[in-house]
Amino acid sequence: MELGIIGLGRMGGNMAERLRRGGHTVVGYDHSKDASDVGSVEELVERLSPPRAVWVMVPAGKPTNDTVTRLGEVLEAGDVVIDGGNSHYVDDQRHGEELAAKGIGFVDCGVSGGVWGLQNGYALMVGGDEDNVKRLMPIFETLKPEGEFGFVHSGKIGAGHFVKMVHNGIEYAMMQAFGEGYELMEASDIVTNVPETLHSWQEGTVIRSWLLDLMNRALADDPQLDAIRGYANDSGEGRWTVQAAVDHAVPLPAITASLFARFASRQDDSPAMKVVAALRNQFGGHAVESAKGADSPGADVSPPSV
Amino acid sequence: MELGIIGLGRMGGNMAERLRRGGHTVVGYDHSKDASDVGSVEELVERLSPPRAVWVMVPAGKPTNDTVTRLGEVLEAGDVVIDGGNSHYVDDQRHGEELAAKGIGFVDCGVSGGVWGLQNGYALMVGGDEDNVKRLMPIFETLKPEGEFGFVHSGKIGAGHFVKMVHNGIEYAMMQAFGEGYELMEASDIVTNVPETLHSWQEGTVIRSWLLDLMNRALADDPQLDAIRGYANDSGEGRWTVQAAVDHAVPLPAITASLFARFASRQDDSPAMKVVAALRNQFGGHAVESAKGADSPGADVSPPSV
Amino acid sequence: MELGIIGLGRMGGNMAERLRRGGHTVVGYDHSKDASDVGSVEELVERLSPPRAVWVMVPAGKPTNDTVTRLGEVLEAGDVVIDGGNSHYVDDQRHGEELAAKGIGFVDCGVSGGVWGLQNGYALMVGGDEDNVKRLMPIFETLKPEGEFGFVHSGKIGAGHFVKMVHNGIEYAMMQAFGEGYELMEASDIVTNVPETLHSWQEGTVIRSWLLDLMNRALADDPQLDAIRGYANDSGEGRWTVQAAVDHAVPLPAITASLFARFASRQDDSPAMKVVAALRNQFGGHAVESAKGADSPGADVSPPSV
Amino acid sequence: MELGIIGLGRMGGNMAERLRRGGHTVVGYDHSKDASDVGSVEELVERLSPPRAVWVMVPAGKPTNDTVTRLGEVLEAGDVVIDGGNSHYVDDQRHGEELAAKGIGFVDCGVSGGVWGLQNGYALMVGGDEDNVKRLMPIFETLKPEGEFGFVHSGKIGAGHFVKMVHNGIEYAMMQAFGEGYELMEASDIVTNVPETLHSWQEGTVIRSWLLDLMNRALADDPQLDAIRGYANDSGEGRWTVQAAVDHAVPLPAITASLFARFASRQDDSPAMKVVAALRNQFGGHAVESAKGADSPGADVSPPSV
């Protein structure tokens, strides 16, 4: 079928390519003229026959909001917009209402697959009305991996990004689990073959998984991870997961611990631990480390403590 | 090769069967006469030709300790004992020393695979001296899954059970991650297709894994998990993981949160939360729930709080 | 000085009383006619001489939003509104902007003290412009406890409620700390005098605190907390604290754990732990507890685990 | 009454001084000849009249174990040993049994008070038999603070150190709570007066406490805590608290989070977060920070994430 795509970065570009390989007619627009088939959003809309379908694949937040607003101005009743970016599900709900007021449909689609998606397909999680989703199925069929998995219509508008957000929250905790296990093995002086151990776990264990495979790829290149600093960014969805949990009164201790571990990994010094150190010094006379840096963080030879 | 096995329960019995299918000569002993090839540990030892190898596959703690002690009495220098149970690595270190004093070798072997192992093979994690491990390789080769994975010599005596313990700790956090994600999706009123969502995740996602596959098996039978209570036991290795982390000063927030969630799941009422409720009542006049049971845990219509 | 107060519930009524005892002229309005000095917000405004000061002491959210909006309609440039409720600091920022557009000042004031405040004074945390805060100091001086503590101008508009929110977050973790310690002592069979132990801690310890005193008051009435269910509500500020932490990328593990413990305390059954139980059953054949209720949650007599 | 004290460091020396001021006869022994009244443990025992009481105030672990063993050799039936150090309650139970075999009594005593104890008294938490505790009451009465608080006989042998351990666990979480709250306020750009805010909280708030007072002492000297690094040691009792919780299947999320935060504060780089960073790089092409150090840890400008 015919599809407009706005945003031809790494993700959008690869998805356009996979769709074209699958026989669809794709008209792409991007800020970068080199990548773009048309010169403007208006031109993209003109190039498509109604009822149109336009896939938005730009960064979440203002870029997506602006694009959806612009599409609301140039599309017609009966058209449909798909947000395939990483939008917050709350934004989806607002976008859906704004477009519905003009008779334009809205579908949100969480996409997983990263750099592997062009070849293997993208896992798609979709939210929206049954009618709109059904109409877009040819697109989803081409983008998804072959086989029975990799596509779901999860619920109402916002549900696609909601479950993608949860997917990423689960991912945070799984990554943290491997990180914690790795660190504990490395800390033991009886375990001398940590990379080999992780290698062996790829079959026959309960924890076999794609993340474990990736961990082994990383260790194959750098067995001690010497080249990598223990510094982890977060792309927003982990935060939204925790906030959604708080909103829904759902306890989420492992996922939240994983998010906080990333926050802490980015601190040069912890204000909270300054307070703890200051308090220990106040009540117990425990030595504090000078902020100038302590080279030999040895055991605390404290007196019988309070 | 020739191997004695002590303990022919579900795990030991299946492992003996897999070894026999692989052409090894297995002499098994079990408390249950029906399962046993011999009438006693002494008889088992007599039936094996030196240098003997005896695999212990009985519950961790006293049963394993008693069995290893008994073997120390009846085996000879040059023999080797393998502990394939779920022993604590600290026990391994003691067992290794006790047997070494008599010239008997000791190898610890963490085993993963559960009810699937007979067919698919067992993931094996081994600790001990190079010589002893090398000598037992024919056994390990038969027990492990086919292919390049599923066996590792992780380090010194105790290392096999240490890394198996860590494997289980990682497993705890992965299970908790799926549980948390499931609960958050269920709590959302926009996500209406949770089982289908989890089904779809089996390909093309970052979190694809054997545990996700198992979760889908469970949901296929019982889509709302109606028949299962949210009550989770722990088999000891999660506790040891946290204790090892504390001993090694390694922060393990996600794995520990997972263990604590299991502890909490088994409480009818939480003494800690009684204190919190009592304190809220003291300072703010917040109503407490009677211990007799509160049927309608609704929103707290508290006054401007302190 | 002269002050209007809207909202004469437990908190607002006591504050009005403390102000009158301190010589101020208070005009109060409440939905309940019995408590109210005037029949409407308009009448309250008429009764005050400009430049007026009106203290809003109604529940956070819609009631406060509606009241501030109404005051924006009936007050004049030069007047000032104080929000003494438990508003979210983000609401304060919006209210400040709305009123500023009409030349009306806005000050937010977090209030701590609960049922003890009438007698002992209220701890006040204030956000807003220096000029507005200075003008209201006679009010603050009367409301606060005697002595050098209990009042602070913490920063810009919103800062008062922000720090009050953080105060409550700290409070959550302190309460949780006492709850956890209590539970661990109760779980030990060598500690036979838990209430006496907590009683003794009120002097000479590092953890002496008002919360510890309150805990001892609660235990004096009910030494085993038999009458209280381990069920704890949350009044919103703990949630905001966690959300603010996520927004600011600040790791907050202890406070968040305390919030999640409250969430969990209100669940009859945990969906997350259903998943964990279902997974254990899938891979290990571990028995699950029937959802109908398990009467004898004993030790898990599981086979050597996977 | 007459008391021997072994260990005259900061704690033991001050306690001896407080006892002498209280009219007791104290014979002290210390490795350091300057501080010591006698030249050996034997001489100390000779200087005391039976039935003797000897207070051990040396570091926990080997020093205490060796001292108790030595006392078991030189004391007589009817004498009593008090361990006033920071021993693990499990050690107490073993010491109690060893001494009981010789008719020697054993009492464990957790001591809180730190550098303030000489002047204000020490909070004492005692475990042991009723008879032995009763006999030592004159000593406890002098050491404890004046008034009704500061002394408790908490239960059997080990109970004194157990509850002192729990006290310290609670202390960890309270310190962490203040640290987290401080950090969140510092992270906000609307809160401009953090030290003044903490100062004001010392009266009228729910969180007023000695630790809050100490925090204000620290901030009075160094309002931004510029001179202190966020590096916090742990003295062992926090670890034991978590291990006891794991042994007793008690969930302890806030206290454990506080312990882990200290562990993390002492790491130059986190192996766990190396893994997380490596995994993000593998699946998403997210940039990793070089281990050589990243000077500008800015926002992650990642593409639509997986």
Side-chain angles (χ1 to χ4, degrees):
Chain A
M1 61 178 276
E2 206 180 61
L3 183 77
I5 295 189
I6 298 177
L8 301 167
R10 183 159 43 170
M11 285 291 283
N14 280 350
M15 293 173 81
E17 174 63 20
R18 187 170 170 96
L19 286 167
R20 282 178 176 132
R21 291 184 191 171
H24 298 280
T25 303
V26 178
V27 183
Y29 170 74
D30 197 88
H31 281 297
S32 155
K33 304 223 163 161
D34 289 350
S36 200
D37 299 318
V38 291
S40 67
V41 170
E42 290 78 357
E43 193 182 334
L44 177 135
V45 170
E46 281 164 22
R47 288 270 296 272
L48 300 170
S49 316
R52 301 171 190 85
V54 181
W55 187 290
V56 179
M57 204 68 195
V58 301
K62 186 165 166 38
T64 292
N65 292 342
D66 289 351
T67 303
V68 171
T69 298
R70 186 77 191 107
L71 286 170
E73 293 161 358
V74 297
L75 289 176
E76 297 172 310
D79 293 344
V80 63
V81 173
I82 310 103
D83 180 1
N86 289 310
S87 294
H88 197 189
Y89 68 95
V90 174
D91 287 347
D92 292 329
Q93 295 175 306
R94 198 180 66 247
H95 291 153
E97 287 172 20
E98 288 170 5
L99 293 175
K102 302 179 176 184
I104 304 169
F106 181 79
V107 167
D108 59 288
C109 181
V111 178
S112 184
V115 293
W116 306 80
L118 172 58
Q119 180 182 336
N120 300 341
Y122 299 89
L124 306 177
M125 296 144 249
V126 169
D129 293 343
E130 188 67 37
D131 286 353
N132 286 323
V133 174
K134 192 169 287 181
R135 175 176 151 198
L136 296 165
M137 281 310 297
I139 297 297
F140 297 140
E141 287 290 350
T142 302
L143 287 174
K144 72 181 278 296
E146 287 184 27
E148 62 173 311
F149 307 118
F151 173 81
V152 66
H153 179 195
S154 291
K156 302 175 192 173
I157 288 177
H161 282 135
F162 192 98
V163 306
K164 173 60 165 49
M165 171 192 83
V166 172
H167 165 278
N168 283 34
I170 294 170
E171 174 193 307
Y172 273 54
M174 288 174 68
M175 291 164 77
Q176 179 71 19
F178 283 115
E180 293 181 4
Y182 174 85
E183 180 167 340
L184 183 53
M185 288 191 292
E186 283 290 355
S188 160
D189 52 11
I190 60 173
V191 180
T192 52
N193 294 330
V194 173
E196 291 86 340
T197 300
L198 286 158
H199 180 79
S200 81
W201 283 351
Q202 288 176 91
E203 288 292 343
T205 64
V206 175
I207 63 174
R208 58 190 188 260
S209 54
W210 192 54
L211 279 167
L212 178 60
D213 296 344
L214 292 183
M215 191 163 165
N216 278 291
R217 286 172 54 103
L219 290 169
D221 295 339
D222 181 2
Q224 302 298 322
L225 301 179
D226 287 328
I228 293 177
R229 192 176 146 208
Y231 179 101
N233 278 307
D234 70 282
S235 56
E237 283 153 321
R239 299 189 192 200
W240 293 339
T241 306
V242 173
Q243 289 178 321
V246 169
D247 285 336
H248 291 81
V250 169
L252 226 61
I255 291 174
T256 305
S258 309
L259 179 66
F260 286 163
R262 294 195 184 187
F263 289 171
S265 81
R266 307 201 296 259
Q267 296 185 313
D268 279 334
D269 202 1
S270 160
M273 300 318 289
K274 281 172 174 266
V275 168
V276 171
L279 287 173
R280 294 187 84 233
N281 175 251
Q282 284 290 328
F283 68 65
H286 298 283
V288 296
E289 297 278 340
S290 153
K292 301 293 178 187
D295 294 326
S296 54
D300 187 6
V301 289
S302 53
S305 83
V306 286
Chain B
M1 60 178 277
E2 206 180 56
L3 182 76
I5 296 190
I6 298 176
L8 300 167
R10 183 160 40 173
M11 286 291 284
N14 280 349
M15 293 172 79
E17 174 63 20
R18 187 171 170 95
L19 287 167
R20 283 178 175 132
R21 290 183 192 173
H24 298 281
T25 303
V26 177
V27 183
Y29 170 74
D30 196 89
H31 282 298
S32 155
K33 304 224 163 161
D34 289 351
S36 200
D37 300 319
V38 292
S40 67
V41 170
E42 290 77 358
E43 194 182 333
L44 177 135
V45 170
E46 281 165 21
R47 288 269 295 272
L48 300 170
S49 315
R52 301 171 191 84
V54 182
W55 187 291
V56 179
M57 204 68 195
V58 302
K62 185 165 166 38
T64 292
N65 292 343
D66 290 351
T67 303
V68 172
T69 300
R70 186 78 193 104
L71 286 170
E73 293 162 358
V74 296
L75 289 176
E76 298 172 309
D79 294 344
V80 64
V81 172
I82 310 101
D83 180 0
N86 288 310
S87 294
H88 197 188
Y89 68 96
V90 174
D91 286 348
D92 292 329
Q93 295 175 306
R94 198 180 64 247
H95 291 152
E97 286 171 22
E98 287 169 6
L99 294 174
K102 302 178 177 185
I104 304 169
F106 180 80
V107 166
D108 59 289
C109 180
V111 178
S112 183
V115 294
W116 306 81
L118 171 58
Q119 181 182 335
N120 300 341
Y122 299 89
L124 307 177
M125 296 143 249
V126 169
D129 293 343
E130 189 66 37
D131 286 353
N132 286 323
V133 173
K134 193 169 287 180
R135 172 175 154 200
L136 296 163
M137 280 310 297
I139 298 297
F140 297 140
E141 286 290 351
T142 302
L143 287 173
K144 71 180 280 294
E146 286 184 26
E148 63 173 310
F149 308 117
F151 173 82
V152 66
H153 179 196
S154 291
K156 302 174 191 172
I157 288 178
H161 283 134
F162 192 99
V163 306
K164 173 60 166 47
M165 172 192 82
V166 172
H167 165 278
N168 282 33
I170 294 170
E171 175 193 308
Y172 273 53
M174 288 175 69
M175 292 164 78
Q176 179 70 19
F178 283 115
E180 293 181 3
Y182 173 85
E183 180 167 338
L184 183 54
M185 288 191 291
E186 284 289 356
S188 160
D189 53 9
I190 60 173
V191 180
T192 52
N193 294 331
V194 173
E196 292 86 341
T197 300
L198 286 158
H199 180 79
S200 81
W201 282 351
Q202 288 175 90
E203 287 293 342
T205 64
V206 176
I207 63 175
R208 59 188 187 261
S209 53
W210 193 55
L211 279 167
L212 178 60
D213 296 345
L214 291 183
M215 191 164 166
N216 278 292
R217 286 172 54 103
L219 289 168
D221 295 339
D222 181 2
Q224 302 299 322
L225 301 180
D226 287 327
I228 292 176
R229 194 176 145 208
Y231 179 101
N233 279 306
D234 71 281
S235 57
E237 282 152 322
R239 299 190 192 198
W240 293 338
T241 305
V242 173
Q243 290 178 321
V246 168
D247 284 336
H248 290 82
V250 169
L252 226 62
I255 291 173
T256 305
S258 309
L259 178 66
F260 286 163
R262 294 194 183 188
F263 289 170
S265 81
R266 306 202 296 260
Q267 296 185 313
D268 280 334
D269 202 0
S270 160
M273 300 318 288
K274 281 173 174 266
V275 169
V276 171
L279 287 173
R280 294 187 84 232
N281 175 252
Q282 285 289 328
F283 69 65
H286 298 282
V288 295
E289 297 278 339
S290 153
K292 301 293 177 186
D295 294 324
S296 54
D300 188 7
V301 289
S302 53
S305 82
V306 287
Chain C
M1 60 178 277
E2 207 180 58
L3 183 76
I5 296 190
I6 298 177
L8 300 168
R10 184 160 41 174
M11 285 293 282
N14 280 349
M15 293 172 80
E17 174 63 21
R18 186 171 170 96
L19 286 168
R20 282 177 176 132
R21 289 183 192 172
H24 298 282
T25 302
V26 178
V27 183
Y29 170 73
D30 196 89
H31 281 297
S32 156
K33 303 225 164 160
D34 290 350
S36 201
D37 299 320
V38 292
S40 68
V41 169
E42 291 77 357
E43 194 182 331
L44 177 134
V45 170
E46 281 165 22
R47 287 270 296 273
L48 299 169
S49 314
R52 300 171 192 85
V54 181
W55 186 290
V56 179
M57 203 69 195
V58 302
K62 185 166 165 39
T64 291
N65 293 342
D66 289 351
T67 303
V68 171
T69 299
R70 186 78 193 106
L71 286 172
E73 293 162 357
V74 297
L75 290 176
E76 298 173 309
D79 294 344
V80 64
V81 172
I82 309 102
D83 180 0
N86 288 310
S87 294
H88 198 187
Y89 68 95
V90 174
D91 286 347
D92 292 329
Q93 295 175 306
R94 197 180 66 248
H95 290 152
E97 286 172 21
E98 288 170 5
L99 294 175
K102 302 179 176 186
I104 304 169
F106 180 81
V107 167
D108 60 288
C109 180
V111 178
S112 183
V115 294
W116 306 80
L118 171 57
Q119 181 181 334
N120 300 341
Y122 299 89
L124 307 177
M125 295 143 250
V126 170
D129 293 343
E130 187 67 36
D131 287 352
N132 286 323
V133 174
K134 192 169 288 180
R135 173 175 152 198
L136 295 164
M137 281 309 298
I139 297 297
F140 297 140
E141 287 289 351
T142 302
L143 287 174
K144 72 181 278 297
E146 286 184 26
E148 65 173 309
F149 307 117
F151 173 82
V152 66
H153 179 196
S154 291
K156 301 174 191 171
I157 287 178
H161 283 134
F162 192 98
V163 305
K164 173 59 166 46
M165 173 192 82
V166 172
H167 165 278
N168 282 34
I170 294 170
E171 175 193 308
Y172 273 53
M174 288 174 70
M175 291 164 79
Q176 180 71 19
F178 283 116
E180 293 181 3
Y182 173 85
E183 181 167 338
L184 183 54
M185 289 192 290
E186 284 289 356
S188 160
D189 52 10
I190 59 172
V191 180
T192 52
N193 294 329
V194 173
E196 292 86 340
T197 300
L198 286 158
H199 180 79
S200 81
W201 282 351
Q202 289 176 89
E203 289 291 343
T205 64
V206 176
I207 64 175
R208 59 188 188 260
S209 54
W210 192 54
L211 280 167
L212 179 60
D213 296 345
L214 291 183
M215 191 164 167
N216 278 291
R217 285 172 54 103
L219 290 168
D221 294 340
D222 181 1
Q224 301 299 322
L225 301 179
D226 287 328
I228 293 176
R229 193 177 145 209
Y231 179 101
N233 278 306
D234 71 280
S235 57
E237 283 153 321
R239 298 190 192 199
W240 293 339
T241 305
V242 173
Q243 289 177 321
V246 168
D247 285 335
H248 291 82
V250 169
L252 225 62
I255 291 174
T256 305
S258 308
L259 179 66
F260 286 163
R262 293 193 183 188
F263 289 170
S265 80
R266 306 201 297 258
Q267 298 185 312
D268 279 334
D269 202 1
S270 160
M273 299 318 288
K274 281 173 175 267
V275 169
V276 171
L279 287 173
R280 294 186 85 230
N281 176 251
Q282 285 289 329
F283 67 66
H286 298 282
V288 295
E289 298 278 339
S290 154
K292 301 293 177 185
D295 294 325
S296 54
D300 187 6
V301 289
S302 54
S305 84
V306 285
Chain D
M1 61 178 275
E2 207 180 60
L3 184 77
I5 295 189
I6 297 176
L8 300 168
R10 183 158 44 171
M11 285 291 282
N14 280 349
M15 292 172 81
E17 174 63 21
R18 186 168 170 97
L19 286 168
R20 283 177 175 135
R21 289 183 192 172
H24 298 281
T25 302
V26 177
V27 183
Y29 169 74
D30 197 89
H31 281 299
S32 155
K33 304 225 163 163
D34 290 349
S36 201
D37 300 318
V38 292
S40 68
V41 170
E42 291 77 357
E43 193 182 334
L44 177 135
V45 170
E46 281 164 23
R47 287 270 296 273
L48 299 169
S49 316
R52 300 172 191 83
V54 181
W55 187 291
V56 179
M57 203 67 196
V58 301
K62 185 165 166 39
T64 291
N65 293 343
D66 289 350
T67 304
V68 171
T69 299
R70 186 79 192 105
L71 286 171
E73 294 161 358
V74 296
L75 290 176
E76 298 171 309
D79 294 344
V80 63
V81 172
I82 310 103
D83 180 359
N86 288 311
S87 294
H88 198 188
Y89 68 95
V90 174
D91 286 347
D92 293 329
Q93 296 176 305
R94 199 181 65 246
H95 291 154
E97 286 171 21
E98 287 169 6
L99 294 176
K102 302 178 176 186
I104 303 170
F106 180 80
V107 167
D108 59 288
C109 181
V111 178
S112 184
V115 292
W116 307 79
L118 171 57
Q119 180 182 335
N120 300 341
Y122 299 89
L124 306 177
M125 295 144 251
V126 170
D129 294 343
E130 188 67 37
D131 287 352
N132 286 324
V133 174
K134 193 169 286 180
R135 174 177 151 196
L136 295 164
M137 281 309 299
I139 297 297
F140 296 140
E141 286 290 350
T142 301
L143 287 174
K144 72 182 276 296
E146 287 185 26
E148 63 172 311
F149 307 117
F151 173 83
V152 66
H153 179 196
S154 291
K156 302 174 192 172
I157 287 178
H161 282 135
F162 192 98
V163 305
K164 173 59 166 48
M165 171 192 83
V166 172
H167 165 278
N168 282 34
I170 295 170
E171 175 193 307
Y172 273 53
M174 288 174 69
M175 291 163 78
Q176 180 71 18
F178 283 116
E180 292 181 4
Y182 174 85
E183 180 167 338
L184 183 53
M185 289 192 291
E186 284 289 355
S188 161
D189 52 10
I190 59 172
V191 180
T192 51
N193 293 329
V194 173
E196 291 86 340
T197 299
L198 286 158
H199 181 78
S200 81
W201 283 352
Q202 288 176 91
E203 289 291 343
T205 63
V206 175
I207 63 174
R208 59 189 189 260
S209 54
W210 193 55
L211 279 167
L212 178 60
D213 296 344
L214 292 183
M215 191 165 166
N216 278 291
R217 285 173 54 103
L219 290 168
D221 295 340
D222 182 2
Q224 302 299 322
L225 300 180
D226 287 327
I228 293 177
R229 192 175 147 211
Y231 179 102
N233 278 306
D234 69 281
S235 56
E237 284 155 320
R239 299 190 191 198
W240 294 339
T241 305
V242 173
Q243 290 178 321
V246 169
D247 285 336
H248 290 82
V250 169
L252 226 61
I255 291 174
T256 305
S258 308
L259 179 66
F260 287 163
R262 294 194 184 188
F263 289 170
S265 80
R266 307 201 297 258
Q267 297 185 313
D268 280 334
D269 202 0
S270 160
M273 300 319 288
K274 281 173 174 267
V275 168
V276 170
L279 286 172
R280 295 187 85 232
N281 176 251
Q282 284 290 328
F283 68 66
H286 299 282
V288 295
E289 297 278 340
S290 153
K292 301 293 178 188
D295 294 325
S296 54
D300 187 7
V301 289
S302 53
S305 82
V306 287

